[in-house]
Each structure stands twice: as structure tokens, then as C-alpha cells.
């Protein structure tokens, strides 16, 4: 009964301490290397055995679910909420896409979430669902305001974000300056004619 949940009040003090050590180690490892980091590395950082992680959290998916709020959801949802406070549709989509690409560069776990690398993790899929709704919302508003190319869709935005996730996860990591420059190229490419200086 005492081991029913990692945070149950009936856990012995050492078991609770182990659980917190595992959570802390997982947050650091997932932020630094993504959600696919070997469980052996998490166990070593936590000072426990791999078996202890499985006993406390039921394996990788349970551990991810236990810490995904701190690793991905909090920053991503903060960016979405901040974007929604921006009245100008062009500034809103610019801020959102820039913030999202910044998260992708800084937090490898964000790319694992966007790639839905663990589709059996309910919280990961909920993050993807909420992100997809934000994409639809921001793109629709920007198109209605004429600040995006009329043919540009939320599906296109999803593809660009997913392609970026694949490149960052499996390709050669660019310098931050190069990455930010390419973000500006991307934004210039999707903007509507009304935002071009001088037009054509």
C-alpha cells in the first residue's frame, strides 16, 4: 500500500527522498539531453539503481509524466499565454514563433514532445494538442489581419516546427547566431505582402 504512488504520504522518509532525488535528476537530464536520455544516466545522477526508478515511477513514461510540467509544459504554456496578450496579430505570431524556436534550441525535451516520441504518455500528447490549438489560433488571426501569406496554414507551421525539431535532434547543432538568423529568414518568408518594406 505504501508504494502505491511516488509521493504517497505513507512512503518511508528514505523512499520519499529517493523519489525527489530521481525527479531532480530526471529534470536535469531531460532538460540537457531530451526525453530519450538513458535511464542509467538518470539513476546515476540520482544516486539510485535503475530498478528503483522503475519501482517508484513505473519506468520512463511514468517518470516523464512526473516531471514534464517542469521540463516542458511550464515554459511552453507561458509563451502561449504571453502571445495571447499581444494585440497586434503580426507581433503575436512573430513573438510566438520566435519563442517556440528559442525553446526548441534550449530545451531538447521540447523537440521530443513536438515529435510525439512517446505517444503513450498522456501529458505529452496533451501538450501537443494545446500547442496545435495555439498554432491554429495564431495563424488564423495573422492571416485574417493580412500579415501572413494567404496560403500559409497552421499545418505549414506545424511542419516547419517539426522539421526544426528533427534537425536539432538528429542533425548538426548550429551556432546560436546562425539559428537566430534563420529564424528571421523563416519569419520573412511567411509574412504577407503588407508587411514587406516597399512591397513588389
Amino acid at each position: 500500500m505504501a508504494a502505491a504512488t511516488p509521493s504517497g504520504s505513507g512512503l518511508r522518509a528514505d523512499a520519499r527522498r529517493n523519489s525527489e532525488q530521481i525527479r531532480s535528476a530526471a529534470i536535469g537530464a531531460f532538460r540537457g539531453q531530451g526525453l530519450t536520455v538513458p535511464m542509467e544516466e538518470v539513476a546515476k545522477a540520482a544516486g539510485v539503481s535503475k530498478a528503483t526508478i522503475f519501482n517508484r515511477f513505473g519506468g520512463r513514461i511514468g517518470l516523464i509524466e512526473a516531471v514534464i510540467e517542469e521540463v516542458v509544459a511550464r515554459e511552453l504554456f507561458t509563451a502561449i499565454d504571453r502571445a495571447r496578450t499581444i494585440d497586434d496579430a503580426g507581433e503575436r505570431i512573430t513573438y510566438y514563433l520566435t519563442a517556440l524556436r528559442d525553446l526548441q534550441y534550449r530545451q531538447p525535451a521540447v523537440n521530443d514532445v513536438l515529435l510525439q516520441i512517446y505517444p503513450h504518455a498522456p501529458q505529452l500528447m496533451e501538450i501537443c494538442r494545446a500547442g496545435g490549438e495555439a498554432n491554429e489560433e495564431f495563424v488564423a488571426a495573422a492571416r485574417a489581419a493580412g500579415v501572413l501569406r494567404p496560403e500559409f496554414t497552421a499545418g505549414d507551421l506545424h511542419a516547419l516546427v517539426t522539421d526544426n525539431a528533427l534537425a536539432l535532434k538528429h542533425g548538426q547543432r548550429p551556432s546560436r547566431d546562425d539559428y537566430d538568423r534563420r529564424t528571421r529568414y523563416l519569419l520573412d518568408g511567411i509574412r504577407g505582402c503588407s508587411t514587406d518594406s516597399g512591397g513588389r
Side-chain angles (χ1 to χ4, degrees), residues 133-165:
E133 286 186 354
N135 289 351
E136 294 275 359
E137 173 188 341
F138 299 148
V139 169
R143 287 179 62 184
V147 296
L148 286 182
R149 293 178 179 273
E151 71 274 19
F152 186 81
T153 68
D156 293 323
L157 177 55
H158 174 76
L160 289 170
V161 168
T162 302
D163 287 348
N164 190 44

Side-chain angles (χ1 to χ4, degrees), residues 59-197:
R60 182 185 298 274
I61 297 299
L63 183 56
I64 289 172
E65 293 278 287
V67 300
I68 199 64
E69 169 70 20
E70 292 94 327
V71 176
V72 171
R74 188 174 297 161
E75 278 198 273
L76 178 59
F77 291 154
T78 295
I80 291 172
D81 290 344
R82 170 72 180 88
R84 287 178 172 142
T85 68
I86 300 173
D87 292 333
D88 183 90
E91 292 179 8
R92 185 186 311 131
I93 193 74
T94 296
Y95 167 81
Y96 174 64
L97 188 49
T98 301
L100 182 55
R101 280 179 58 90
D102 172 64
L103 274 176
Q104 288 187 269
Y105 191 85
R106 291 189 294 104
Q107 298 279 22
V110 170
N111 297 314
D112 290 330
V113 171
L114 294 172
L115 294 171
Q116 300 184 15
I117 200 162
Y118 293 114
H120 300 300
Q123 289 190 66
L124 266 66
M125 299 310 294
E126 174 59 21
I127 292 170
C128 290
R129 184 200 63 77
E133 286 186 354
N135 289 351
E136 294 275 359
E137 173 188 341
F138 299 148
V139 169
R143 287 179 62 184
V147 296
L148 286 182
R149 293 178 179 273
E151 71 274 19
F152 186 81
T153 68
D156 293 323
L157 177 55
H158 174 76
L160 289 170
V161 168
T162 302
D163 287 348
N164 190 44
L166 286 168
L168 288 170
K169 185 170 181 64
H170 300 293
Q172 183 174 358
R173 186 178 178 83
S175 70
R176 185 69 206 224
D177 285 345
D178 284 345
Y179 185 81
D180 289 343
R181 178 166 50 84
R182 289 162 190 161
T183 296
R184 293 192 292 272
Y185 290 158
L186 188 157
L187 288 167
D188 287 345
I190 68 175
R191 286 183 176 123
C193 293
S194 63
T195 65
D196 292 342
S197 57

Side-chain angles (χ1 to χ4, degrees), residues 15-53:
R16 289 197 300 271
R17 184 168 56 251
N18 282 347
S19 293
E20 287 309 309
Q21 288 171 342
I22 293 167
R23 280 178 51 87
S24 178
I27 290 169
F30 292 157
R31 282 178 174 167
Q33 301 179 60
L35 302 180
T36 59
V37 61
M39 285 292 95
E40 290 82 0
E41 292 191 26
V42 177
K44 182 177 180 181
V48 302
S49 68
K50 183 178 174 182
T52 300
I53 294 179

